[in-house]
């Protein structure tokens, strides 16, 4: 039996971690069934017997795998007869670069647009921890960070441009079929959309259609609880 | 016999086009000998009998291939026993995305740092064409564009961060060996370094060491005439 520990908000079906979503989308794309263990921040040590401090964690029979990238690699090599998310050895290396490009380029900007909304989705003890740690990091209140989000969205649009260009040429960032780049970018929007009704995509229909396509291809459209 | 038409400045060995460098680096990496035909902007139609308006153009026996990406793909499939720059089918798709990320993310910023310096490396008739077309595009004089380059370099540093992170983990963007991402990014620095002594890398030693490594691996260290 396969079990995925993934982050959740106050509601157990409020799955919102971009990193957990990478594992979930990859499992779904490969058609690998799993049982979900939604886990709030503060419950992680207890749920994982103090051994692991972050999720996602995948327990697959005797094997326990942590870190989203490693989970995806593990699934790729272990289930070699399922659809590929890396497309060969060079694909893994490119994926590591694209991972860096997306996380470094987009995540700081996304988080500034939705940080207070994330907070408001969390269980009370998580919310307290989240506010303290994030306000320390940003050096200001979550309210003040999020207040500037229209300006952040303009910056975000500039970062999205190369992805949009690519999607004007092909249905997926991976071309005719989905690759890890699609997983990573779509997981980022799962994070945003599960926690906030703010339109980070700014009405871009091509991007929205691609996002819906990735969720459907990974059979996870039902699993995303949109924030309203 | 293989012939590569590539862009040059007033001096024929001032090879400065990022797109031409992609073809050159790929040929070099694959150990494929070629004869270079350095061609200034305004000589392209004449050199290529009016058929092609841009370089690089690769003539390989009976085959003529244009566009840098297509040239690299052509070399990859035609010379399948040479070292790969794509690393499999998924690699080609990822390369197309990375190409977009680098061109869209970095090129506008690089060009603003060196635009006048490029102009000053060109043959007189090219320089006239270049100034007119670029000043129209920027809506200001080349002098005014380049005057703001210290600020552009700060923006450039933010764009470079994910690449630097990756190079802190591995000798190449492609991991243990070079991939197309390395070719594209290194070619961008060939463009900058052939035309300008301005330190776009801002003294970053990891980046410089990687750049030297790519040139050496592609056997092209001698071919790059640094601007002084």
């Amino acid at each position: 039996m396969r079990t995925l520990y993934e982050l959740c908000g106050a509601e157990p079906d409020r799955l919102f971690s971009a990193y957990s979503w990478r594992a979930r989308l990859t499992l779904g794309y490969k058609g690998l069934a799993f049982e979900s263990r939604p886990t709030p921040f503060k419950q992680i040590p207890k749920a994982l017997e103090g051994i692991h401090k972050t999720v996602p964690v995948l327990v697959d029979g005797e094997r326990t795998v942590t870190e989203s990238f490693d989970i995806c690699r593990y699934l790729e090599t272990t289930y070699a007869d399922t659809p590929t998310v890396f497309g060969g050895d060079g694909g893994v290396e490119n994926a590591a670069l694209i991972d860096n490009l997306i996380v470094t380029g987009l995540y700081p900007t996304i988080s500034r647009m939705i940080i207070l909304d994330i907070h408001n989705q969390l269980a009370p003890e998580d919310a307290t921890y989240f506010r303290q740690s994030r306000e320390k990091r940003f050096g200001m209140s979550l309210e003040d960070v999020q207040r500037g989000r229209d300006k952040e969205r303009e910056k975000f649009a500039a970062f999205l441009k190369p992805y949009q260009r690519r999607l004007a040429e092909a249905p997926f960032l991976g071309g005719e079929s989905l690759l890890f780049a699609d997983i990573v970018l779509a997981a980022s929007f799962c994070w945003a959309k599960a926690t906030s009704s703010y339109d980070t995509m700014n009405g871009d229909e091509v991007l929205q259609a691609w996002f819906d396509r990735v969720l459907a291809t990974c059979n996870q459209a039902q699993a995303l609880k949109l924030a309203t």
Side-chain angles (χ1 to χ4, degrees), chain A:
Chain A
M1 191 51 202
R2 235 168 266 125
T3 307
L4 180 67
Y5 292 84
E6 44 189 346
L7 207 57
C8 71
E11 302 158 308
D13 58 350
R14 180 74 59 195
L15 303 171
F16 76 93
S17 153
Y19 294 101
S20 296
W21 269 100
R22 293 176 177 197
R24 172 176 275 276
L25 292 171
T26 303
L27 283 160
Y29 184 58
K30 290 179 174 291
L32 299 168
F34 62 97
E35 197 179 288
S36 168
R37 292 281 166 81
T39 315
F41 278 120
K42 286 288 185 186
Q43 299 297 321
I44 296 174
K46 200 179 131 198
L48 290 152
E49 294 162 7
I51 299 167
H52 306 292
K53 292 189 175 63
T54 59
V55 290
V57 170
L58 176 73
V59 180
D60 188 8
E62 302 290 297
R63 283 289 303 269
T64 298
V65 194
T66 62
E67 300 293 329
S68 63
F69 197 92
D70 293 337
I71 291 172
C72 298
R73 286 188 72 166
Y74 164 79
L75 295 172
E76 183 88 355
T77 49
T78 308
Y79 303 99
D81 55 342
T82 61
T84 178
V85 296
F86 290 118
D89 288 343
V92 175
E93 301 298 345
N94 279 320
L97 175 62
I98 290 168
D99 185 0
N100 259 320
L101 284 161
I102 292 178
V103 171
T104 314
L106 302 182
Y107 281 23
T109 305
I110 296 179
S111 69
R112 286 178 167 270
M113 289 189 280
I114 60 171
I115 197 82
L116 180 64
D117 295 341
I118 299 173
H119 168 272
N120 294 341
Q121 295 288 358
L122 301 177
E125 62 166 0
D126 279 1
T128 305
Y129 148 76
F130 188 83
R131 180 181 284 277
Q132 281 173 352
S133 61
R134 269 47 173 190
E135 291 191 343
K136 194 175 166 192
R137 191 186 297 170
F138 285 111
M140 64 176 93
S141 74
L142 301 185
E143 286 76 4
D144 281 346
V145 175
Q146 189 167 297
R147 199 166 286 134
R149 65 182 172 184
D150 288 351
K151 211 163 172 191
E152 286 297 321
R153 188 160 63 181
E154 287 174 32
K155 213 199 277 178
F156 192 56
F159 275 114
L160 285 177
K161 230 181 257 177
Y163 302 97
Q164 288 164 321
R165 277 200 191 183
R166 181 75 183 125
L167 293 173
E169 302 166 352
F172 295 102
L173 298 175
E176 289 307 311
S177 57
L178 174 159
L179 281 177
F180 193 64
D182 294 279
I183 300 273
V184 175
L185 191 63
S188 318
F189 284 112
C190 288
W191 169 40
K193 287 170 181 284
T195 51
S196 175
S197 61
Y198 187 68
D199 182 16
T200 56
M201 288 184 179
N202 208 8
D204 188 303
E205 289 174 12
V206 173
L207 213 54
Q208 181 66 50
W210 159 82
F211 178 70
D212 293 339
R213 197 179 306 133
V214 174
L215 282 191
T217 306
C218 296
N219 206 17
Q220 295 302 320
Q222 304 303 321
L224 178 66
K225 186 170 185 174
L226 295 170
T228 48

